[in-house]
Amino acid sequence: MKFLQTHRKDLLLIMADLGYSAEHFEYVKRKGRIHIIDNEAERSFSYFRRKATQLHPETKQWVESETFEVSIDGDKPVIVNLWDEVCDAFKEWLGPL
């Protein structure tokens, strides 16, 4: 999985809005997951973007979809359907400075 430029911009904007600098975190891609590690508090946020292509039974057209697996501090991943839900989870994980 690529760390998409739009995703990176959204996450950096969230960090800035909450008063964090990008240097406060370490970014690691491991086994397709993007890990954002808070170096000072020793906690982590990770997500994985899963893309799928399926044949629609009625229209016989290929339909692409994507879901995200979000994990906070190594807990069991939660599946969400929208990037905005990943951003909301990231905001909650960060909390106010």
Side-chain angles (χ1 to χ4, degrees):
M1 179 185 93
K2 293 182 180 180
F3 193 11
L4 299 178
Q5 190 70 14
T6 56
H7 291 178
R8 183 181 338 219
K9 286 180 183 178
D10 288 345
L11 296 176
L12 290 173
L13 184 62
I14 291 168
M15 288 178 201
D17 286 347
L18 294 175
Y20 291 94
S21 70
E23 293 78 28
H24 185 87
F25 301 94
E26 182 179 345
Y27 309 90
V28 179
K29 180 179 171 187
R30 200 177 317 139
K31 296 183 180 179
R33 292 187 161 279
I34 304 296
H35 296 265
I36 302 169
I37 303 164
D38 182 344
N39 290 322
E40 294 178 12
E42 297 182 12
R43 58 193 187 124
S44 67
F45 177 90
S46 68
Y47 73 93
F48 178 78
R49 180 174 53 99
R50 185 177 306 280
K51 293 175 18 176
T53 305
Q54 297 176 338
L55 188 61
H56 191 278
E58 294 175 12
T59 63
K60 304 297 184 205
Q61 298 292 315
W62 291 105
V63 178
E64 292 185 8
S65 65
E66 67 180 9
T67 57
F68 298 90
E69 295 177 8
V70 175
S71 179
I72 295 176
D73 297 326
D75 290 344
K76 185 177 177 181
V78 175
I79 297 174
V80 296
N81 294 316
L82 301 172
W83 173 246
D84 289 341
E85 293 176 291
V86 176
C87 290
D88 290 343
F90 185 64
K91 286 179 196 175
E92 186 178 319
W93 174 74
L94 278 178
L97 184 60

